[in-house]
Amino acid sequence: MLALYRQRASRYDMELAPFEPIRRQAIDRLNLRPGQTVLDVGCGTGLSLPGLCQAVGPQGRVVGVEQCPEMLAQARERVAVDRSGTAVELVCASVQQAPLVGWADAAMFHFTHDIVCDPQALAQVLRHLRPGAHVVATGLQWAPAWAWATNAWVWSAALYSVSSLRGLEAPWRLLAAVLPGLRVEPVWQGAVYVAHGQVPDAP
Ligand SMILES: C[S@@+](CC[C@H](N)C(=O)[O-])C[C@H]1O[C@@H](n2cnc3c(N)ncnc32)[C@H](O)[C@@H]1O
């Protein structure tokens, strides 16, 4: 899949254009406040960065983690012209191995199926979230079985963007196990989910 993203990097933003309203919904669900720190996990070309920077402002911090150098190079270009004053760190590494430092108030997983279905990757991110941190995950999912035309689209989109179709029936399953009360909103006729919840307070 890394090889595919290396090829897709130059046309990725154009391909994602129809999904932008979902990105805005996801950023909104993070409930970010000025001065907070947010992780953009699998940040790709950094399409979420302007919205995240605007939400946390000049006192805030945004950390993007991305394994694909070509995708991250575009994120770096985006940050270079950003005028929000937010401190942005971009880490080129797999989430599982990323040298994350300190604590974050929120984490966004926007169309990162391979990451939200990987227990090791999720554990690494959760280790750096404060109690009460907001978490939002979005991505493809199977629509109800009768919606076969929608699922034909999910199938073709997934073949182009995820390593395995496994988990598409409930991609938020691992998150739900660690974030009690995780809310899952289906959008796009059930072909896409927006899941949001909060890290529980320490006992
Ligand atoms: C569909 S793109 C989404 C990019 C971005 N979140 C967005 O909103 O446009 C999925 C991204 O996750 C990255 N990715 C997948 N697995 C990863 C991992 N284990 N560590 C870091 N990045 C990963 C891919 O390289 C790709 O850039």
Side-chain angles (χ1 to χ4, degrees):
M1 202 36 65
L2 175 57
L4 180 63
Y5 280 110
R6 297 189 86 149
Q7 282 173 20
R8 282 182 72 184
S10 60
R11 57 181 190 278
Y12 181 83
D13 290 4
M14 206 176 58
E15 291 173 352
L16 262 279
F19 297 86
E20 287 311 296
I22 304 173
R23 185 186 308 279
R24 286 195 288 277
Q25 187 178 348
I27 293 175
D28 203 43
R29 296 282 184 274
L30 285 170
N31 277 302
L32 292 168
R33 293 193 303 279
Q36 288 192 320
T37 295
V38 55
L39 305 179
D40 187 359
V41 187
C43 68
T45 61
L47 283 167
S48 299
L49 296 176
L52 296 175
C53 288
Q54 195 186 7
V56 298
Q59 309 302 325
R61 181 170 159 251
V62 179
V63 180
V65 182
E66 169 56 49
Q67 65 179 2
C68 173
E70 288 79 3
M71 298 283 275
L72 200 67
Q74 295 199 37
R76 288 195 201 288
E77 285 175 20
R78 211 180 294 280
V79 171
V81 296
D82 178 66
R83 294 285 165 262
S84 66
T86 308
V88 181
E89 290 160 39
L90 297 176
V91 181
C92 192
S94 72
V95 179
Q96 293 86 337
Q97 320 245 302
L100 298 177
V101 178
W103 295 87
D105 304 289
M108 175 165 178
F109 300 83
H110 192 62
F111 282 82
T112 55
H113 182 81
D114 289 348
I115 299 174
V116 293
C117 290
D118 181 323
Q120 215 190 324
L122 272 191
Q124 155 78 334
V125 174
L126 287 162
R127 264 196 295 277
H128 292 273
L129 294 181
R130 295 182 205 283
H134 286 268
V135 176
V136 173
T138 64
L140 297 168
Q141 66 177 358
W142 292 129
W146 53 264
W148 58 268
T150 303
N151 280 331
W153 177 82
V154 172
W155 179 76
S156 62
L159 285 184
Y160 189 53
S161 57
V162 308
S163 296
S164 159
L165 301 185
R166 251 181 299 139
L168 277 174
E169 65 288 346
W172 62 86
R173 187 178 54 84
L174 292 178
L175 277 175
V178 288
L179 306 178
L182 185 83
R183 289 193 55 194
V184 181
E185 302 171 56
V187 295
W188 280 31
Q189 300 179 356
V192 172
Y193 70 91
V194 178
H196 53 103
Q198 281 179 269
V199 173
D201 288 332

